[in-house]
């Protein structure tokens, strides 16, 4: 046993950003340039992201959370309005709805897709509904035809939480290159990073103007030596240091996402027909695979998810949880939500584990994870 432990490989985390030397050099140049806040690098990142998204306007900001909040404000959504959103996502997806004063109306998600159930969304529409805020979970696009058909039938704005989905496409069309307002995240765990950061893609001319005002104090130039504040804006502009990181990441995004797809293909190969876990919907080549999140067969096990995670850690493998169901958090129970309302979201929230997936991983790492999962589960059956 001790001999075995001596050869335990270093911890394989569930994710790790890949920053190359060229990017580190580019950051050093910005630091020496004397211009650190929003400047030429931010302008360049917006231009390159816009090119990546089919020429649509792009506004970068300090996070996807800030981007989603500003997108809602720009659509004029506030007190008395309802926004339909999935019960399974990162909590920010729903928090932003409340932060602008509107009411989040949760609906369930597909058990394997993790994406919003659009029939349930249709049934949740009321005269107060103003928008749908779906998530492309793990980078698997929602059914965009059905989503936008529903939205246009009821004259709803769509704000896409595309935090997981930079580089995803729906039937050959990149997420962000069409649709209403599409918000990406560049947090270090996401498919590309600016350390902290996000981008809004799309929007009408009027909405873009409002986003710019909310992003920077509400200020506009009103004369050669004068500014006017048109509204009480916040401050969510990205720095040039962060933008330099983003430019280095965007250059390699296609390569990163290809590697993610290759690693996931290995997971599916290893677990073709008799997976010991419930695999997520596989999607097609348009899936950008932000996370790989199977479900544990907890009802067949003597151990809890936490004990599973601890056992994986003992084998040198980091495991995450993405995510608990949002409506069961205290802040949402306070609105009257309760257990039993969204069975798929609740089951996923209980059973999901995030297995390692990041571009610097090797195919042999996938095999190591697969063996460890099998060993832990084998020893834990009832
Ligand atoms: C990460 C994430 C966010 C928030 O992104 P930040 O850039 O960290 O603000 C929002 N929604 C989802 C689904 C996310 O995974």
């Amino acid at each position: 046993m001790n001999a075995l432990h001596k050869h335990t490989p270093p911890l394989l985390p569930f994710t790790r950003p890949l920053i190359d030397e060229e990017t580190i050099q580019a950051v050093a140049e910005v630091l020496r340039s004397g211009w650190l806040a929003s400047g030429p690098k931010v302008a360049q990142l917006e231009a390159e992201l816009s090119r990546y998204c089919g020429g649509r306007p792009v506004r970068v900001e300090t996070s996807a959370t800030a981007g989603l909040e500003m997108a809602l404000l720009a659509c004029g959504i506030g007190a008395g309005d309802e926004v339909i959103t999935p019960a399974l996502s990162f909590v920010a997806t729903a928090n932003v709805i409340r932060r602008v004063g509107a009411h989040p109306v949760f609906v369930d998600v597909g058990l394997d897709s993790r994406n919003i159930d659009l029939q349930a969304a249709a049934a949740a529409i009321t005269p107060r509904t103003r928008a749908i805020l779906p998530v492309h979970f793990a980078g698997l696009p929602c059914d965009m035809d059905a989503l936008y058909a529903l939205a246009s039938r009821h004259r709803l704005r769509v704000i896409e939480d595309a935090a997981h989905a930079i580089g995803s496409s729906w039937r050959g069309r990149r997420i962000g290159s069409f649709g209403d307002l599409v918000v990406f995240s560049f947090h270090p765990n996401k498919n590309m990073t600016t350390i902290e950061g996000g981008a809004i893609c799309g929007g009408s001319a009027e909405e873009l103007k409002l986003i710019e005002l909310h992003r920077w104090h509400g200020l506009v130039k009103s004369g050669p030596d004068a500014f006017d504040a048109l509204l009480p804006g916040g401050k969510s502009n990205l720095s040039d240091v962060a933008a330099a990181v983003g430019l280095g990441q965007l250059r390699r995004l296609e390569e990163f996402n290809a590697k993610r797809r290759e690693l996931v293909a290995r997971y599916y190969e290893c677990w073709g027909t008799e997976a010991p876990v419930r695999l997520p919907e596989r999607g097609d080549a348009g899936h950008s695979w932000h996370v790989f999140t199977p479900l544990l067969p907890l009802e067949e096990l003597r151990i809890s998810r936490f004990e599973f995670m601890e056992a994986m850690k003992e084998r040198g493998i980091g495991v995450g949880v993405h995510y608990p169901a949002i409506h069961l958090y205290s802040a949402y129970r306070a609105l009257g939500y309760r257990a039993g309302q969204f069975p798929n979201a609740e089951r996923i929230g209980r059973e999901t584990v995030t297995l390692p997936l990041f571009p610097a991983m090797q195919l042999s790492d996938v095999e190591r994870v697969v063996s460890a999962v099998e060993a832990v589960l084998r020893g834990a059956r009832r």
Side-chain angles (χ1 to χ4, degrees):
M1 210 50 195
N2 279 338
L4 243 170
H5 273 279
K6 264 186 213 142
H7 297 288
T8 302
L11 181 81
L12 179 71
F14 74 80
T15 190
R16 185 168 56 206
L18 197 170
I19 307 290
D20 56 30
E21 283 306 315
E22 220 180 315
T23 303
I24 293 169
Q25 203 51 48
V27 167
E29 277 165 32
V30 173
L31 290 174
R32 290 190 197 100
S33 76
W35 193 286
L36 309 184
S38 302
K41 293 292 173 189
V42 163
Q44 192 187 342
L45 180 60
E46 287 185 339
E48 293 194 12
L49 283 168
S50 171
R51 194 170 326 129
Y52 189 79
C53 292
R56 299 223 303 164
V58 170
R59 298 294 180 273
V60 294
E61 49 275 331
T62 45
S63 68
T65 305
L68 289 165
E69 188 174 329
M70 292 191 297
L72 288 163
L73 289 171
C75 292
I77 291 165
D81 297 331
E82 293 177 358
V83 178
I84 295 174
T85 198
L88 186 85
S89 180
F90 182 53
V91 69
T93 310
N95 283 351
V96 292
I97 298 170
R98 298 203 48 203
R99 287 179 62 79
V100 303
H103 181 71
V105 175
F106 291 118
V107 296
D108 210 353
V109 296
L111 184 59
D112 297 315
S113 72
R114 321 297 211 265
N115 281 340
I116 188 165
D117 176 339
L118 288 171
Q119 280 182 347
I125 292 171
T126 76
R128 284 191 297 278
T129 309
R130 294 284 311 281
I132 308 178
L133 205 171
V135 179
H136 304 296
F137 198 99
L140 177 72
C142 297
D143 180 336
M144 299 297 269
D145 296 340
L147 169 65
Y148 278 94
L150 178 67
S152 78
R153 204 154 56 236
H154 296 273
R155 294 170 202 268
L156 305 176
R157 206 75 179 127
V158 178
I159 295 138
E160 297 174 36
D161 181 340
H164 298 180
I166 188 130
S168 293
S169 4
W170 165 253
R171 300 198 170 146
R173 298 171 75 197
R174 227 171 233 161
I175 294 300
S177 72
F178 63 109
D180 290 350
L181 289 134
V182 184
V183 182
F184 298 113
S185 170
F186 304 138
H187 179 274
N189 283 1
K190 304 293 161 60
N191 289 28
M192 65 167 267
T193 187
T194 58
I195 308 175
E196 297 285 0
I200 304 173
C201 194
S204 68
E206 185 58 29
E207 286 164 350
L208 284 168
K209 215 173 88 187
L210 287 168
I211 286 162
E212 286 174 359
L213 291 173
H214 284 294
R215 184 173 67 170
W216 199 65
H217 311 292
L219 283 169
V220 289
K221 228 173 147 94
S222 61
D225 63 346
F227 281 92
D228 192 14
L230 301 184
L231 54 79
K235 185 169 194 293
S236 313
N237 59 302
L238 198 69
S239 74
D240 260 24
V241 177
V245 177
L247 285 163
Q249 293 276 289
L250 183 57
R251 207 178 308 123
R252 297 188 61 182
L253 180 62
E254 292 305 285
E255 173 203 336
F256 289 170
N257 284 351
K259 184 67 183 289
R260 287 175 178 276
R261 283 191 277 267
E262 188 189 352
L263 293 162
V264 166
R266 192 81 193 101
Y267 274 116
Y268 280 89
E269 243 166 64
C270 291
W271 281 331
T273 46
E274 39 194 337
V277 288
R278 185 171 176 127
L279 299 174
E281 185 173 321
R282 191 155 178 193
D284 60 18
H287 194 326
S288 62
W289 286 108
H290 163 55
V291 279
F292 182 62
T293 57
L295 303 183
L296 291 175
L298 282 185
E299 281 172 10
E300 300 163 22
L301 303 180
R302 284 181 284 101
I303 59 171
S304 67
R305 175 171 60 187
F306 176 70
E307 288 166 326
F308 171 85
M309 293 171 77
E310 287 295 294
M312 290 293 285
K313 202 154 83 186
E314 273 167 33
R315 286 168 168 75
I317 294 167
V319 179
V321 172
H322 297 88
Y323 305 91
I326 300 175
H327 66 290
L328 300 181
Y329 287 123
S330 301
Y332 292 89
R333 286 181 188 269
L335 299 182
Y337 287 108
R338 61 196 182 283
Q341 284 185 288
F342 309 111
N344 287 348
E346 291 168 27
R347 177 171 166 195
I348 297 161
R350 273 194 310 273
E351 298 182 353
T352 190
V353 288
T354 305
L355 299 182
L357 178 64
F358 54 93
M361 239 173 101
Q362 303 300 317
L363 291 174
S364 59
D365 292 323
V366 172
E367 285 149 23
R368 204 179 123 203
V369 176
V370 162
S371 308
V373 169
E374 285 174 357
V376 172
L377 293 183
R378 203 180 307 123
R381 297 265 166 204
R382 280 186 194 281

